[in-house]
Amino acid sequence: MTFKTFTAVIALSVGAALTLPSFAAEPAPAATEKPGKPAGAESKQKTMGRYSGWEGRERDLGLVMNMVVKTMNDNDAYQHEVNDALVKHHLTSMQFSKNKGLVSEAVQHEVDTEMPMLKRVAKMIEKSGDKELALKAVFDQTTCHWQLVLDTETAPGMRRYRSPFGHVLEQTTRLSQHDITEKWIHDNWTTPRFMAYAKILGVDLDVSPWQDDGIITVKLRNYTPAPKQTSAVTN
């Protein structure tokens, strides 16, 4: 699919979503008053129909889709992806830390920033015994991961994804903006952070060593599903 075609498809999809008719049913007949119901209280009305979920926020959706289309159409120097700016920000921060000899301090600062969320989830794990909550907190329910990593494979006790840095790093290395490598990032940034998260969460994680295809697998060690699942709430 060409990017012009992609743009047209997105535009048509958004237009269709925003113009789907919404139908409200006739008010339901008033229910028989039940004992204890406040005098004069109105019966709850039922509605039916099709809704996009963006009613009242059409401009927000338009701005988001405009950003996505403009980013995907930016392919003169190289094909940009929707996480491009976030990837570059991470690369620049890591390069600065490396240049100044502050990598360990930068990792610890990252962990300290996430500490309130990590401690909250740690209490939930301790209470429920559900160690899967650790992976949900780090990968599934935080924009810190899924705005950076566009696709993550999920299975009980395991998360797998491709390192998001290689595509941009190939370009910035060529321009001498960065000299770090994906392996360096994995060994000095990614893995130490996951290990620090695990310690606070009270779980043991195994992070796969770096491999050339960029696939990273994170597993709960000796994982046994908990009898009851509890959802983690993160920022």
Side-chain angles (χ1 to χ4, degrees):
M1 179 185 293
T2 66
F3 285 100
K4 288 184 178 179
T5 303
F6 171 81
T7 302
V9 170
I10 290 294
L12 289 172
S13 299
V14 173
L18 296 181
T19 56
L20 282 174
S22 297
F23 302 99
E26 292 295 327
T32 303
E33 296 289 342
K34 295 182 179 180
K37 184 177 180 180
E42 296 182 357
S43 300
K44 184 178 181 180
Q45 305 298 314
K46 295 182 179 180
T47 59
M48 61 178 291
R50 296 186 180 91
Y51 301 91
S52 69
W54 285 89
E55 285 73 22
R57 300 179 61 199
E58 291 85 355
R59 175 175 169 77
D60 292 341
L61 179 59
L63 291 172
V64 169
M65 297 312 302
N66 183 53
M67 180 274 292
V68 171
V69 172
K70 287 171 66 177
T71 301
M72 296 298 290
N73 276 337
D74 191 341
N75 56 6
D76 290 338
Y78 68 97
Q79 178 57 62
H80 285 62
E81 297 177 339
V82 292
N83 62 352
D84 186 87
L86 189 56
V87 168
K88 286 176 180 172
H89 174 75
H90 276 73
L91 290 175
T92 299
S93 296
M94 289 184 282
Q95 184 70 60
F96 178 84
S97 300
K98 176 178 178 290
N99 291 350
K100 298 298 182 180
L102 297 172
V103 177
S104 296
E105 290 83 352
V107 169
Q108 186 58 52
H109 179 72
E110 180 87 5
V111 174
D112 291 342
T113 301
E114 300 294 331
M115 191 70 72
M117 179 273 291
L118 294 170
K119 286 185 175 180
R120 183 167 68 248
V121 177
K123 291 180 180 179
M124 297 173 68
I125 294 172
E126 183 178 5
K127 182 178 180 179
S128 67
D130 185 4
K131 294 184 178 181
E132 178 75 15
L133 291 177
L135 296 181
K136 290 182 178 180
V138 174
F139 295 97
D140 303 348
Q141 296 181 231
T142 172
T143 57
C144 294
H145 177 76
W146 49 259
Q147 285 187 351
L148 180 65
V149 177
L150 303 182
D151 188 24
T152 300
E153 178 186 348
T154 300
M158 184 277 291
R159 299 296 185 272
R160 179 178 291 123
Y161 66 96
R162 186 183 301 277
S163 169
F165 302 110
H167 181 64
V168 173
L169 196 57
E170 181 180 352
Q171 311 303 322
T172 60
T173 300
R174 177 174 55 84
L175 296 173
S176 299
Q177 292 177 300
H178 303 117
D179 62 21
I180 55 179
T181 65
E182 282 196 285
K183 184 180 186 305
W184 183 93
I185 294 171
H186 183 75
D187 294 342
N188 294 277
W189 183 264
T190 303
T191 299
R193 283 191 306 113
F194 286 158
M195 293 297 98
Y197 292 164
K199 184 176 181 180
I200 298 168
L201 290 166
V203 301
D204 293 318
L205 291 180
D206 290 322
V207 182
S208 61
W210 177 253
Q211 50 192 42
D212 291 340
D213 62 4
I215 299 299
I216 299 171
T217 302
V218 181
K219 293 182 178 181
L220 286 165
R221 190 178 304 163
N222 302 321
Y223 172 69
T224 301
K228 185 177 180 180
Q229 299 291 326
T230 304
S231 296
V233 178
T234 64
N235 293 329

